[in-house]
Amino acid sequence: MEAHDFWTEHFNIKVSDWIGTAACLTRFDPVHHKLALFKDVTGLAHVNFQVESIDDIMRSWHFLEDNNVEITMGPGRHPQSTAVFLYFKGPEGHTWEYSFGVRLIPDDMDWTPRFFDTNEPDFIDMWRGAVPAARRRAD
């Protein structure tokens, strides 16, 4: 993947995990991933806001539903980062995410990137919530 090669070779970005061969989750500090690289997406895919508690996720979910904001996925829990998440569409059609409880990988910790098969039902949500077709990218 061209983006993977660029970021890991020139900026010392580390790979945390792979989602199939179509996505690479990377880090430049202890947070599991701050940059997700996609083989078939150019530019910004979505923006994530890490909130202070699971209560913030749940309150936001109810607020978004009460205000007819399109929830695209969640609440759920990512198996890669262990974060609880909620994805929704903004007025411009861009995807936004709230998350809580992301895994930390300190620099002195041994870590081997894992591979998550997109054919598995829990590849993006270990609670096995509905996953939009767009998230099931072909490898």
Side-chain angles (χ1 to χ4, degrees), residues 17-19 25 32-33 78-83 103 111 114 116 122-125:
D17 289 315
W18 289 90
I19 300 176
L25 304 178
H32 179 273
H33 69 279
H78 289 311
Q80 299 82 11
S81 67
T82 69
R103 176 191 312 270
W111 183 264
R114 300 163 299 167
F116 291 82
D122 56 356
F123 82 99
I124 200 73
D125 181 2

Side-chain angles (χ1 to χ4, degrees), residues 41-84:
V41 177
T42 301
L44 189 62
H46 77 276
V47 175
N48 176 315
F49 293 99
Q50 294 185 18
V51 297
E52 290 189 22
S53 74
I54 195 169
D55 294 332
D56 293 327
I57 298 279
M58 299 310 290
R59 275 192 296 273
S60 296
W61 179 34
H62 291 295
F63 174 84
L64 294 168
E65 283 192 327
D66 290 347
N67 287 279
N68 299 314
V69 174
E70 180 186 354
I71 306 292
T72 58
M73 194 165 63
R77 185 181 288 273
H78 289 311
Q80 299 82 11
S81 67
T82 69
V84 175

